[in-house]
Amino acid sequence: MTDSSSEHNIIRIGELHTPQQREFSRTLLLSPLITTAAQQPPGLATRSTDSVIDLSMPTPVTADSGSTQTRILPGTTGNSRRKMRVPTPSLLGTLEFKIYYVICATTIVNMIYTMYQASSPKRPEYEGYKEELSEGWMFGRMMDLSDGQWDTFRSHLPAFASLMFLYVAMNWVFRLAVVRRVSREFLQTPTKVRGFLPTLWFPFLFATVFAIILSGVSTVFILAFTGVNFILAKRFGGRRWAPAVFWVFNMAVLFANEYYKGYEFGRMLQSLAWLDQWRGVLRRWDVTFNITMLRMMSFAMDYHWRVRQEDEASVQQIDALVANPKTEKDRVERSCFAQDYCFANYWAYLLYPPLYLTGPIITFNSFVSQMRYPSPAISTRHTIVYGLRLLASALLMELILHTVYCVAISKWAQWETFSAYEISLFGYMRLSFIWLKLLIIWRFARFWAMADGIDTVENMRRCMSNNYSLQQFWRDWHCSYNKWLVRYVYIPLGGRKTSTWNTFVIFTFVALWHDLTMRLLQWAWIIALLFLPEGLATWYFGKPRWTSKPYFRLLCSLGGTVNIMAMMIANLVGFGDEGVEKMLAKIFSRSGFAFLAVAYVILNMYLQVMFEWREYEYRKEYAAHEASLAQWEMTDTAPRVPVTRSASDSPTLTKRQNRSGIGE
């Protein structure tokens, strides 16, 4: 390496001499900052004026006046090194927590019994809502199938499962019989094939037939909208104002779909009215198009960032990172080859059968990356275990629908004869039903994607009842959607720098994306407002003068209990039934005051157990982190050899370097 401070150098993993040097270079993936010689471990000593590239971002690094800098490429977030605190001692076996266990267990048993009794056919209210119930198959009781979405999914479940089994089986046969014979080069060296990938040949064909079966002649509308989006992305991708074009077009499509109710041919031209008889199994194709719109934006923005990255680094540097992604973040943020952003891959991605109707949402970059390099997280054993978990969740739902008629009672909305305790339990079970319903639907789709070799995000990562923070709750509820919002909305709008107004923009979009109703907008703005006090409390009480106090966890539970109640109210407003106002009025009446006081105390105890369980999870994470550090130190026995580079070894200058005259 030359002594000139104006020299720009990039150290690549393959060019480092010792295993320890290569191992340390991989740790740069954990930090967006460049490590100077004083900070580097043995085996990678360089001058302070030298440059090391963050290998998660193929950006050349400049050194100026002895300092080091890095640039984050468009579409990437860099990598942050998190400092891990020392865990607190366990309290799970103390007398205090044993008392909590008894009280919480007794309360849960009482809640179940009360809801079961309140749903009894012997209650006088039963006659008012029994018309909403259906014939059951457990305990000689009726079952509550009054939720239209769940009833539709449940009734079509055998057909959906058979179709997905057929797709997965045929795709595996196609890969074994055709892809292995026709495209051995792709299997041996996946990066040699660019453009329409062999592993997407069959999904492309099946997805096209699948779309026609579902939407019939309305498939032409899907093709038209997705085609225009593709043209806009390819035509304007890379220009600074391109994201605005993508957003305006896609939001206009959502509003038009809602207004015209799927575009009946008879309304366009009377002579084409006969085509409305051939609209497929799903006559309202536009209802599920919201999910497709997210994929359309993902493709457009991923391609836009790919083009923008070519202004920051050479094409060779960007393409070099396509091979062998190590983490899911690599798959999401590392761009594909430019040729991979073709219409065939785009169409197969949009209509990928297991995920087409419901998600979970996967980005275009990650989808193509997994089609080139299958995720190591997928295994036969893991998929089978996941399928058993799905089956257990479905059986739990059947049990609940036979014993607690929360949906039918909520729709009936006659709360005069129910106590405040019973009403609050039905409200809680209404939200729990929504959580479990969506968990099963998303797990069903994710299971078949896993069986096909595609790994997606678990949408419901944590039980609804195991949340006390609004921010954490929305990270774990519809997690893939949350990650999509962070990547394509939150970060482009400024991230944490503009988080206050950013949150209102995001939740307004979430409400409009779900449905164009004032009720959902009210829900969105209530949720956004709730972020403010939580953020202020976290900022103020998160300082050492509070966190070091022995009563700090008690302060947290006092605030967390208020948070839980506020989240339940907000979500009942947004996703509850028409009688939610009567429900809340009865709970917060003078007669319900005693119940609220007791509930507040018990929730505080429950939160103490929840805090300690989170700390238990953190202790395991901390122990794994310490073990990995110890292993690294034991293997770090390489001699301290400086890494030198000659001027002739310097990589190709980027477009931006050439334009600015650097290195000339």
Side-chain angles (χ1 to χ4, degrees):
M1 191 174 291
T2 64
D3 293 332
S4 172
S5 62
S6 62
E7 196 65 40
H8 306 284
N9 303 282
I10 296 177
I11 298 178
R12 296 184 178 87
I13 287 180
E15 296 169 341
L16 299 176
H17 302 296
T18 69
Q20 285 71 29
Q21 292 171 0
R22 298 190 185 100
E23 182 63 28
F24 175 72
S25 68
R26 293 188 182 96
T27 66
L28 291 178
L29 296 172
L30 300 176
S31 175
L33 303 177
I34 300 305
T35 308
T36 60
Q39 299 169 305
Q40 293 166 359
L44 190 61
T46 63
R47 295 170 56 90
S48 62
T49 56
D50 296 335
S51 306
V52 182
I53 190 171
D54 180 347
L55 295 173
S56 66
M57 300 168 289
T59 322
V61 182
T62 64
D64 183 16
S65 301
S67 62
T68 53
Q69 302 174 359
T70 186
R71 289 194 300 270
I72 296 179
L73 290 181
T76 66
T77 58
N79 295 278
S80 59
R81 187 192 301 259
R82 186 180 63 171
K83 293 182 179 179
M84 301 192 74
R85 60 173 175 82
V86 178
T88 60
S90 176
L91 299 174
L92 292 175
T94 61
L95 177 61
E96 175 193 354
F97 274 75
K98 289 178 180 178
I99 296 174
Y100 293 158
Y101 302 152
V102 173
I103 294 176
C104 290
T106 303
T107 303
I108 292 172
V109 171
N110 182 263
M111 289 168 60
I112 296 173
Y113 178 78
T114 302
M115 287 185 289
Y116 180 79
Q117 288 296 320
S119 302
S120 172
K122 298 179 181 179
R123 290 281 295 253
E125 299 89 356
Y126 182 78
E127 294 297 322
Y129 63 83
K130 70 176 183 179
E131 297 297 327
E132 297 284 346
L133 304 180
S134 306
E135 290 294 329
W137 59 277
M138 284 184 176
F139 318 124
R141 288 175 62 97
M142 303 287 281
M143 69 181 306
D144 187 355
L145 294 177
S146 54
D147 183 87
Q149 185 183 32
W150 175 254
D151 186 35
T152 301
F153 174 78
R154 185 179 182 274
S155 60
H156 291 87
L157 185 59
F160 286 151
S162 300
L163 186 62
M164 289 300 99
F165 177 81
L166 178 65
Y167 164 75
V168 171
M170 292 178 66
N171 195 22
W172 278 108
V173 170
F174 183 86
R175 290 174 184 174
L176 294 173
V178 178
V179 176
R180 282 193 175 185
R181 293 183 180 182
V182 176
S183 188
R184 292 184 178 180
E185 183 183 34
F186 172 76
L187 297 177
Q188 294 172 356
T189 311
T191 54
K192 286 189 176 181
V193 177
R194 306 184 181 188
F196 191 17
L197 301 182
T199 48
L200 283 173
W201 293 347
F202 181 79
F204 175 86
L205 295 174
F206 192 95
T208 303
V209 176
F210 185 56
I212 294 174
I213 293 174
L214 290 179
S215 304
V217 294
S218 297
T219 307
V220 298
F221 298 120
I222 299 175
L223 182 61
F225 291 136
T226 57
V228 172
N229 183 74
F230 179 82
I231 293 172
L232 291 176
K234 300 294 282 189
R235 178 67 180 84
F236 301 118
R239 305 189 183 187
R240 291 189 177 276
W241 42 264
V245 174
F246 305 152
W247 275 107
V248 168
F249 170 74
N250 280 277
M251 292 303 296
V253 169
L254 283 187
F255 291 147
N257 287 350
E258 178 68 20
Y259 183 79
Y260 290 106
K261 307 296 182 184
Y263 311 98
E264 293 182 3
F265 287 94
R267 290 187 177 182
M268 299 180 186
L269 194 63
Q270 191 60 38
S271 60
L272 298 178
W274 62 275
L275 290 175
D276 290 324
Q277 302 176 10
W278 304 93
R279 295 175 67 89
V281 177
L282 298 178
R283 295 185 61 85
R284 288 292 306 276
W285 62 272
D286 53 296
V287 174
T288 59
F289 193 77
N290 290 18
I291 296 287
T292 306
M293 172 263 178
L294 301 181
R295 301 188 188 104
M296 291 163 60
M297 280 299 302
S298 176
F299 171 85
M301 292 300 296
D302 284 357
Y303 178 72
H304 166 73
W305 284 325
R306 162 71 202 207
V307 177
R308 295 277 296 168
Q309 286 173 2
E310 293 180 8
D311 288 339
E312 304 286 342
S314 67
V315 173
Q316 293 80 2
Q317 289 174 314
I318 299 173
D319 289 348
L321 293 179
V322 174
N324 297 316
K326 302 298 182 184
T327 65
E328 176 57 26
K329 185 174 182 180
D330 290 344
R331 295 182 185 275
V332 171
E333 294 193 352
R334 293 184 181 182
S335 296
C336 305
F337 295 121
Q339 299 90 327
D340 291 340
Y341 298 90
C342 62
F343 187 81
N345 288 348
Y346 169 67
W347 182 256
Y349 162 67
L350 294 179
L351 304 181
Y352 180 62
L355 307 179
Y356 173 57
L357 294 176
T358 63
I361 303 158
I362 185 173
T363 67
F364 179 82
N365 284 349
S366 179
F367 180 77
V368 172
S369 175
Q370 292 192 56
M371 284 297 176
R372 178 173 274 117
Y373 291 100
S375 173
I378 299 293
S379 67
T380 302
R381 180 181 178 278
H382 180 54
T383 304
I384 293 174
V385 170
Y386 192 81
L388 294 176
R389 292 173 59 195
L390 169 63
L391 180 61
S393 302
L395 290 176
L396 176 61
M397 174 65 91
E398 292 292 293
L399 177 63
I400 291 174
L401 294 180
H402 280 84
T403 54
V404 180
Y405 304 140
C406 61
V407 181
I409 292 175
S410 297
K411 288 188 173 183
W412 183 50
Q414 300 300 317
W415 303 108
E416 289 79 7
T417 57
F418 290 101
S419 68
Y421 180 39
E422 290 173 334
I423 294 173
S424 65
L425 289 180
F426 281 124
Y428 167 75
M429 279 305 300
R430 186 72 174 95
L431 296 177
S432 298
F433 168 80
I434 294 173
W435 174 82
L436 184 58
K437 172 184 69 173
L438 296 177
L439 177 139
I440 293 172
I441 292 174
W442 285 325
R443 278 191 176 177
F444 176 81
R446 184 171 185 253
F447 168 75
W448 290 110
M450 291 170 63
D452 194 42
I454 292 294
D455 185 28
T456 62
V457 175
E458 176 69 73
N459 263 344
M460 297 296 199
R461 295 191 303 187
R462 194 179 291 274
C463 177
M464 184 200 78
S465 301
N466 189 16
N467 281 285
Y468 57 87
S469 164
L470 189 66
Q471 188 177 36
Q472 292 179 4
F473 175 81
W474 287 113
R475 284 177 179 172
D476 295 328
W477 179 290
H478 204 170
C479 184
S480 64
Y481 186 37
N482 176 272
K483 289 180 177 292
W484 186 94
L485 289 170
V486 170
R487 175 166 171 79
Y488 298 110
V489 184
Y490 182 74
I491 293 177
L493 288 179
R496 292 184 179 180
K497 297 178 181 178
T498 58
S499 59
T500 301
W501 74 273
N502 210 341
T503 302
F504 281 90
V505 173
I506 287 175
F507 275 96
T508 300
F509 166 74
V510 169
L512 296 175
W513 179 80
H514 276 91
D515 200 1
L516 301 179
T517 63
M518 181 54 65
R519 184 173 186 174
L520 273 180
L521 281 174
Q522 292 172 347
W523 161 82
W525 294 332
I526 290 174
I527 294 293
L529 284 172
L530 289 177
F531 271 92
L532 296 179
E534 180 177 303
L536 290 174
T538 302
W539 168 77
Y540 182 76
F541 290 104
K543 298 175 181 178
R545 64 170 176 167
W546 292 106
T547 58
S548 59
K549 301 294 183 181
Y551 53 80
F552 175 69
R553 60 186 177 93
L554 299 178
L555 287 176
C556 291
S557 66
L558 292 174
T561 300
V562 175
N563 228 5
I564 290 175
M565 291 182 170
M567 285 192 290
M568 289 185 63
I569 294 171
N571 285 312
L572 282 173
V573 170
F575 297 100
D577 299 298
E578 295 300 326
V580 67
E581 293 83 3
K582 296 180 181 179
M583 175 190 291
L584 295 175
K586 186 69 178 287
I587 293 174
F588 289 94
S589 65
R590 183 174 300 178
S591 61
F593 177 78
F595 156 72
L596 287 174
V598 174
Y600 187 83
V601 173
I602 294 177
L603 277 174
N604 269 274
M605 298 180 185
Y606 175 67
L607 274 180
Q608 291 299 324
V609 178
M610 195 186 301
F611 292 159
E612 190 57 27
W613 182 257
R614 297 292 178 89
E615 191 69 7
Y616 167 75
E617 294 175 341
Y618 178 75
R619 290 186 194 104
K620 294 196 297 183
E621 181 184 353
Y622 182 83
H625 174 73
E626 290 295 299
S628 63
L629 286 180
Q631 183 179 8
W632 184 85
E633 291 173 355
M634 290 175 62
T635 57
D636 183 29
T637 57
R640 301 191 178 192
V641 181
V643 179
T644 59
R645 299 286 299 272
S646 64
S648 59
D649 293 332
S650 298
T652 306
L653 293 176
T654 67
K655 295 179 183 178
R656 180 163 292 184
Q657 284 176 314
N658 283 328
R659 279 199 286 261
S660 61
I662 296 176
E664 293 180 355

